[in-house]
Amino acid sequence: VMNRDGSQHTEEIVEWQPDQRLRIRFGQFSAPLSRLASEFFETWEFQRSVNETIVTRTFEMHAKSMATWPVLW
């Protein structure tokens, strides 16, 4: 992915369970993010009932070191 600010990263679907869960891995960041994080995961979980779908979206950030963890918080 090439962002409008010139930064780049990769996005890879690592889990695909239609109607249940989608998990995407973000990695290979350009600087400055490449100095802070090794990868991110974005997960979408879907819980369906008769009248609605509840969507839960979560992020996991993997810092390169303990020193960079507070910056990613």
Side-chain angles (χ1 to χ4, degrees):
V1 174
M2 172 73 77
N3 299 302
R4 288 185 179 181
D5 66 359
S7 63
Q8 299 179 38
H9 67 277
T10 61
E11 296 183 12
E12 175 186 10
I13 296 173
V14 294
E15 188 174 346
W16 177 264
Q17 296 179 20
D19 299 328
Q20 293 178 7
R21 182 176 166 105
L22 169 65
R23 186 165 167 89
I24 305 167
R25 180 189 172 276
F26 296 78
Q28 299 178 6
F29 305 110
S30 58
L33 189 54
S34 63
R35 296 182 199 111
L36 303 174
S38 57
E39 61 188 1
F40 295 169
F41 287 93
E42 178 181 3
T43 304
W44 294 72
E45 295 183 290
F46 309 99
Q47 297 175 345
R48 295 196 173 183
S49 67
V50 175
N51 297 321
E52 64 185 6
T53 301
I54 297 171
V55 179
T56 304
R57 184 180 179 201
T58 57
F59 289 92
E60 294 174 36
M61 295 183 243
H62 296 245
K64 286 229 172 171
S65 71
M66 291 296 285
T68 63
W69 187 83
V71 177
L72 296 174
W73 181 258

